[in-house]
Amino acid sequence: YHLTMLSGGWARERQVVTRPLVDGLTQFKSSRGASSHQFNPFMAISPGKAPPDETGSIVYAFTLVYSGNFAAMAEISESRRLRVNMGINPESFTWTLDRFESFATPEVIMTFSNDGLGEISNDLHRLMRYNLMPSRWRDELCPVLLNTWEALYFNVSHECVIEIARAAAQANIEMLVLDDGWFGKRNDINSGLGDWYVNREKFPFGLDGLCREINSLGLKFGIWVEPEMVNYDSDLHREHPDWT
């Protein structure tokens, strides 16, 4: 058997990693509070001595419908039987149930293909689109957008963002997304995360004023947030250190 998983990191998300399964337990997991681009709650297993192809291979695939801590395991027994387990990561996990209460565990989607990984992708795309994705967004085309990050990094301001928006409108861009640096004292990667209030030195007219001016140019307005993260150098952490 071969196990195929999706690993990676920032700017190299979802790298396809395939490894042979040997006797014993093979496991990958997330204890970060969320699944992520480091380890995705997906795995595909294919029988045979060669790794799976996009077409022609027999593949069994498993996807956890859950975005929290998870663990995925494939075990080859001494009798060459294969067992797969996937679900909530049991490390540091407890849940107290009172009498007559219940706890519903996350679902795992299992799919099979005798035509390789490509058909697995097609099956999962169809399932996600028509069973999990809200119908409002299912058939809506994503806007062509421009993000401020690579142009400005943390040095965003009302004037700079509007200048970019004017150029974007001339290029038929449909949405401008304000990325990192708009909130708190967020001038580098070590400060400000958690202080989700607008920096009035950078944006004296607030997000409302910025949004109105961007909309007047014919563009939609988007904004970046990272609510699961906090810096030690932030008002939030100083006021509530027990939260982290």
Side-chain angles (χ1 to χ4, degrees):
Y1 295 97
H2 282 79
L3 183 147
T4 300
M5 57 178 285
L6 301 173
S7 182
W10 183 83
R12 53 182 184 85
E13 295 85 355
R14 287 178 173 78
Q15 301 292 304
V16 178
V17 178
T18 300
R19 65 183 69 171
L21 289 177
V22 297
D23 289 6
L25 183 68
T26 299
Q27 175 178 249
F28 61 94
K29 58 186 178 180
S30 173
S31 303
R32 301 163 56 91
S35 57
S36 64
H37 49 250
Q38 281 83 9
F39 293 107
N40 190 281
F42 163 85
M43 65 175 166
I45 292 179
S46 52
K49 296 182 179 180
D53 296 321
E54 283 297 307
T55 59
S57 301
I58 291 176
V59 184
Y60 302 87
F62 308 85
T63 300
L64 182 65
V65 188
Y66 183 65
S67 59
N69 288 345
F70 76 93
M73 294 158 274
E75 184 176 11
I76 301 291
S77 72
E78 76 285 351
S79 59
R80 307 301 297 165
R81 291 178 178 270
L82 170 66
R83 175 181 294 148
V84 171
N85 284 298
M86 181 180 280
I88 294 175
N89 190 338
E91 293 179 4
S92 303
F93 176 79
T94 60
W95 191 279
T96 302
L97 288 175
D98 290 330
R99 190 180 182 188
F100 302 122
E101 290 186 335
S102 62
F103 176 76
T105 58
E107 296 179 339
V108 175
I109 299 167
M110 177 180 172
T111 185
F112 167 80
S113 167
N114 59 5
D115 197 20
L117 290 169
E119 188 57 33
I120 290 288
S121 298
N122 293 337
D123 283 348
L124 290 176
H125 288 173
R126 284 191 293 265
L127 185 142
M128 300 294 178
R129 281 176 55 82
Y130 292 106
N131 295 276
L132 295 179
M133 183 180 294
S135 58
R136 175 185 175 186
W137 307 112
R138 181 182 303 151
D139 299 312
E140 183 165 329
L141 295 178
C142 294
V144 178
L145 66 84
L146 183 64
N147 186 294
T148 63
W149 178 246
E150 299 293 348
L152 298 172
Y153 291 100
F154 298 105
N155 301 316
V156 290
S157 67
H158 184 97
E159 295 77 13
C160 291
V161 173
I162 293 302
E163 181 181 357
I164 291 176
R166 291 194 182 103
Q170 293 178 357
N172 294 322
I173 301 296
E174 298 171 312
M175 174 183 283
L176 185 76
V177 176
L178 175 61
D179 207 290
D180 207 346
W182 61 267
F183 53 90
K185 298 177 181 177
R186 180 68 167 169
N187 298 310
D188 55 48
I189 63 173
N190 299 310
S191 62
L193 271 179
D195 298 335
W196 302 110
Y197 52 87
V198 65
N199 184 314
R200 287 285 178 171
E201 293 182 4
K202 297 179 179 181
F203 298 96
F205 309 108
L207 294 179
D208 288 345
L210 179 68
C211 183
R212 281 195 299 270
E213 192 163 349
I214 288 175
N215 290 161
S216 71
L217 295 170
L219 279 73
K220 295 179 180 179
F221 176 68
I223 194 165
W224 175 92
V225 293
E226 194 172 19
E228 78 280 7
M229 295 289 287
V230 63
N231 285 129
Y232 289 121
D233 184 8
S234 66
D235 293 340
L236 179 68
H237 183 263
R238 282 185 285 270
E239 294 173 8
H240 301 282
D242 56 309
W243 289 4
T244 59

